[in-house]
Amino acid sequence: MLTISLRILFLKGYFLIFVNHIYRLPMKNQLNKVGVTFGIILAVYYLLFNCVIFFTDKTLFVNTYAGFFNIAVTVLIGIATIYFARKKAGGYVTFREAFTPFFVAALIGVTANFIVNNILFNLVDPSAKDLIDQKLYGMLVETLKGSPLTQEQITEQLAKAKDLKQYAPKAQLFLWAGSILRNSVIGILLAAIFKNKSEFTPSHTEINHDVDTDFNKDHK
């Protein structure tokens, strides 16, 4: 228990250092700060969402509709992130300038979700982990009933599932990485939709500056 507590405290410390570092970046990286702002909003959402369902109905942690709801919230916050990043950039962003703030926001939100989950299930009520494991096992049993697998294969799959622990460090790490990957795909799609400037096009301020210079030369 002490080891788990120390790990969570270290993760929380590194997380806060990362957020602080991003926020202190120079003006060149102001778009990243938009990502940090919305990342904090996403982190607060996950904090509230996880605490509410933890203390009301823990089975919602493995509920499909709750999972889709979380994805929908992430997409909406991602759209807002890219919108405000584009606004801060003068109305024009490249694919990279659109994707980076989204990724920063998603990274902060997903990491905060990971930390909050581990605090709740490893410190607040460790016995709740067994409830989640049983619920996942029951869902797998129902899924395998309608599968084309043989009884021997089903028995083998169920035997492996019994050894899996949802809140074991390795499983949590894979879940965190999977969430980052899923959000990266969402970010790529949104960035492709909202980008309105080529990577090789000079910024709008540079274009206006060049135009003013040419105008002044013509009138000297």
Side-chain angles (χ1 to χ4, degrees):
M1 180 66 71
L2 180 60
T3 304
I4 294 173
S5 302
L6 290 173
R7 281 180 185 170
I8 293 172
L9 288 174
F10 276 123
L11 282 171
K12 184 178 179 182
Y14 283 125
F15 175 68
L16 293 175
I17 290 171
F18 167 76
V19 172
N20 184 61
H21 173 71
I22 294 292
Y23 230 90
R24 289 177 180 273
L25 288 173
M27 190 65 184
K28 180 182 177 182
N29 295 291
Q30 284 296 308
L31 297 184
N32 289 352
K33 291 185 179 181
V34 176
V36 172
T37 300
F38 281 94
I40 292 171
I41 292 173
L42 187 59
V44 171
Y45 160 75
Y46 276 124
L47 172 64
L48 295 175
F49 180 84
N50 288 335
C51 287
V52 167
I53 65 175
F54 185 85
F55 292 108
T56 55
D57 185 3
K58 296 179 180 65
T59 60
L60 288 174
F61 278 102
V62 292
N63 182 278
T64 303
Y65 295 110
F68 281 125
F69 180 77
N70 276 334
I71 292 174
V73 170
T74 302
V75 170
L76 289 175
I77 291 179
I79 291 172
T81 303
I82 296 175
Y83 170 78
F84 281 98
R86 189 165 76 172
K87 190 175 180 181
K88 198 172 190 67
Y92 295 89
V93 287
T94 63
F95 175 86
R96 182 176 59 182
E97 290 169 342
F99 175 77
T100 303
F102 176 92
F103 182 78
V104 170
L107 181 61
I108 292 172
V110 168
T111 304
N113 184 42
F114 170 81
I115 293 172
V116 171
N117 261 316
N118 277 276
I119 289 174
L120 292 174
F121 283 94
N122 287 308
L123 297 180
V124 178
D125 185 8
S127 64
K129 292 185 288 187
D130 294 330
L131 174 65
I132 298 300
D133 288 336
Q134 291 170 9
K135 184 69 176 176
L136 288 171
Y137 184 80
M139 291 169 65
L140 178 62
V141 170
E142 292 300 317
T143 301
L144 291 176
K145 279 182 180 178
S147 71
L149 298 176
T150 64
Q151 186 58 46
E152 183 180 348
Q153 290 173 322
I154 291 175
T155 303
E156 184 182 350
Q157 291 293 323
L158 292 177
K160 290 179 180 179
K162 280 187 177 180
D163 297 329
L164 294 177
K165 301 297 180 184
Q166 175 78 2
Y167 288 92
K170 187 176 180 180
Q172 283 292 295
L173 184 60
F174 274 111
L175 286 172
W176 177 82
S179 295
I180 294 294
L181 180 61
R182 182 182 65 243
N183 282 289
S184 296
V185 172
I186 294 173
I188 288 171
L189 294 174
L190 291 177
I193 292 170
F194 284 95
K195 79 174 183 71
N196 56 1
K197 186 177 75 173
S198 169
E199 296 286 346
F200 305 102
T201 303
S203 66
H204 234 50
T205 54
E206 291 173 351
I207 293 174
N208 291 335
H209 175 73
D210 291 341
V211 171
D212 291 341
T213 303
D214 293 340
F215 178 82
N216 291 332
K217 283 180 181 178
D218 293 339
H219 289 77
K220 280 184 179 179

